[in-house]
Amino acid sequence: MKVAILGGGACGLVLANILEQNQIEYEVFEKSLVGRKILASGNGKANIANLNVTLDSYNQRFGYELVKEYQDRLFQFFKSIHLLTKKDEEGRIYPYSESSLSVLNCLLKNKLKLVENFAVTSITKINHKYYINSVRGPFDLVVLATGSMASFLPKKQDGFYSYLDTIHLPIRKPTPSLVGFQLDCDFKKIAGVRVKCRASLLKDEQRIHQEAGEVILKTDGISGICILNLSSKYARLKDKSNCFISLDLLPDVHPFEEGYSDLEGILHPKLVNYFKEHHLNLDQVHHFKFLIKDVYDFEFAQVVSGGVPLDEVNPNLTLKQDSNFYIGGELLDVDGMCGGYNLMFAFACGLKIGEEICNIKSNRLKS
């Protein structure tokens, strides 16, 4: 039995380790940098998981259920590749070294069979066997784990999913998620200011989601972890018209009720000047509101919302159209919030698929 793993990211590398450990023949095909998003995670510190997984961690119940099922096994897997981890006060899991390269080095310790700088353009089935780009094969099973075009430069986004057309696999149009917002604003004079506040996503004046955290003001919009999480909710809205971001710059504090009559000793000096220049009143400190024009491009997104619909997939992560195909990670229409949840889902998919393929080998040996 030989397995083609398309994608050298979190899902593909975990799966390759499992197949290597169980002496199952495979090849990993990767068109860019192996472990690219692992290296970028947590600003290079690699936020690889989270202990506090809830239904709200993912936009789809399927993601939550799979991660909860494999959460303990994931930490056992980290231990099996000798990756020492630690948690922070919010339950986020990091390598003890606080270096994403440590994660990648541990995943590659087994000297995995990698085919690098290989862009998959087609999958062909001939006599119950599978060929990649008509030149690599034959394979008995194919694992689709190519991720998404999030964080790729525009020139590398074209045709990212085109190989799926060769197996007639539909895809829900991807849109950027975990990304900043472009607003109807002019923040040139306050660009770079960071403010801890409470941010709300509003649709027709109704609150969709709210989070507290640090917001980064940009020339034409905003970013920051809490803003990225709002974008995850925004991405799933069917109607994105009349949507706003409202910032409470002084959450849980009402200084004007305590006799403070100006902003100089309360807000960042650049914000004070902005309020004066735009003739904003004191009440707008709690309602600093702007119309959403769009989100930033895929290049600036951590993940996408969209991908292969879950109704194309069986519970064991095989495709309904052909059970010799498995699919996992960000290529599925599953995405989560910031905090390690997306990498955790991809890792869990690798564990699940590895378990399924090992069971196939075991059953064949028995028969």
Side-chain angles (χ1 to χ4, degrees):
M1 180 169 63
K2 189 172 182 180
V3 182
I5 303 173
L6 311 188
C11 177
L13 293 180
V14 167
L15 173 58
N17 272 272
I18 293 171
L19 299 187
E20 184 75 30
Q21 293 164 8
N22 287 274
Q23 299 180 318
I24 296 174
E25 198 173 356
Y26 69 92
E27 285 185 320
V28 178
F29 296 90
E30 174 54 54
K31 73 171 184 177
S32 59
L33 180 65
V34 171
R36 181 174 173 274
K37 288 191 177 178
I38 295 173
L39 291 174
S41 172
N43 291 321
K45 292 171 59 179
N47 179 194
I48 53 177
N50 201 304
L51 292 177
N52 302 321
V53 181
T54 67
L55 273 172
D56 196 49
S57 303
Y58 296 93
N59 281 329
Q60 307 80 4
R61 187 181 185 92
F62 180 85
Y64 163 75
E65 291 177 344
L66 183 70
V67 165
K68 287 300 288 185
E69 180 183 356
Y70 281 87
Q71 188 173 31
D72 291 341
R73 274 172 276 188
L74 177 58
F75 296 127
Q76 291 168 9
F77 173 79
F78 289 152
K79 189 172 182 180
S80 75
I81 61 172
H82 302 149
L83 177 65
L84 184 62
T85 62
K86 63 181 180 180
K87 66 176 181 178
D88 68 8
E89 64 280 359
E90 296 184 20
R92 293 181 290 242
I93 302 297
Y94 296 88
Y96 199 85
S97 66
E98 295 193 351
S99 170
S100 57
L101 187 57
S102 295
V103 180
L104 186 58
N105 286 342
C106 287
L107 285 167
L108 296 177
K109 256 193 284 193
N110 277 323
K111 294 183 171 52
L112 305 180
K113 298 174 182 67
L114 303 174
V115 182
E116 300 181 76
N117 301 310
F118 187 98
V120 177
T121 57
S122 67
I123 306 170
T124 309
K125 184 177 183 179
I126 304 175
N127 296 326
H128 307 290
K129 300 288 185 178
Y130 302 87
Y131 295 82
I132 310 302
N133 292 8
S134 302
V135 295
R136 301 300 291 250
F139 295 97
D140 300 282
L141 302 173
V142 179
V143 179
L144 310 177
T146 50
S148 79
M149 56 189 178
S151 78
F152 277 101
L153 294 172
K155 64 181 180 180
K156 293 190 176 182
Q157 295 171 18
D158 291 341
F160 194 94
Y161 304 97
S162 59
Y163 79 93
L164 297 177
D165 294 337
T166 66
I167 57 173
H168 309 292
L169 190 60
I171 187 169
R172 187 175 81 82
K173 183 181 178 181
T175 58
S177 186
L178 299 189
V179 66
F181 286 102
Q182 291 180 303
L183 303 178
D184 186 11
C185 68
D186 180 3
F187 285 170
K188 290 187 183 70
K189 293 184 178 180
I190 54 175
V193 171
R194 295 170 179 257
V195 56
K196 292 185 177 179
C197 60
R198 184 181 294 117
S200 299
L201 170 64
L202 307 177
K203 163 68 177 167
D204 298 324
E205 300 302 322
Q206 297 296 312
R207 182 183 295 142
I208 303 298
H209 191 67
Q210 177 179 270
E211 287 211 11
E214 185 178 68
V215 170
I216 304 165
L217 304 179
K218 303 165 76 72
T219 300
D220 60 348
I222 53 175
S223 189
I225 290 176
C226 65
I227 296 301
L228 303 191
N229 283 336
L230 294 186
S231 78
S232 178
K233 303 297 183 181
Y234 176 79
R236 294 277 165 175
L237 292 177
K238 291 182 180 179
D239 178 9
K240 295 182 173 62
S241 64
N242 205 36
C243 288
F244 296 82
I245 291 293
S246 180
L247 304 180
D248 183 346
L249 301 177
L250 296 173
D252 306 316
V253 177
H254 299 278
F256 312 117
E257 294 178 4
E258 300 174 15
Y260 293 87
S261 59
D262 54 50
L263 298 171
E264 272 77 4
I266 300 171
L267 294 181
H268 189 287
K270 289 185 177 180
L271 276 173
V272 173
N273 291 335
Y274 181 93
F275 266 67
K276 289 180 178 179
E277 288 179 10
H278 290 79
H279 308 290
L280 301 180
N281 60 45
L282 301 182
D283 183 61
Q284 285 170 286
V285 169
H286 295 292
H287 305 282
F288 197 46
K289 190 171 81 171
F290 296 89
L291 178 70
I292 296 173
K293 294 173 63 176
D294 204 346
V295 294
Y296 292 109
D297 187 53
F298 291 101
E299 178 185 353
F300 305 100
Q302 292 186 13
V303 297
V304 304
S305 173
V308 175
L310 293 177
D311 58 12
E312 297 287 333
V313 183
N314 294 310
N316 66 349
L317 296 182
T318 56
L319 294 183
K320 290 180 178 178
Q321 64 170 259
D322 187 339
S323 61
N324 291 321
F325 281 92
Y326 290 85
I327 183 168
E330 200 183 338
L331 186 58
L332 282 168
D333 187 12
V334 175
D335 56 282
M337 309 289 265
C338 287
Y341 298 110
N342 289 289
L343 272 182
M344 197 175 186
F345 175 72
F347 287 139
C349 287
L351 292 176
K352 175 73 172 178
I353 296 169
E355 183 180 275
E356 293 288 326
I357 294 175
C358 288
N359 286 338
I360 292 174
K361 177 186 177 181
S362 177
N363 291 334
R364 288 184 180 181
L365 290 175
K366 289 176 182 177
S367 60

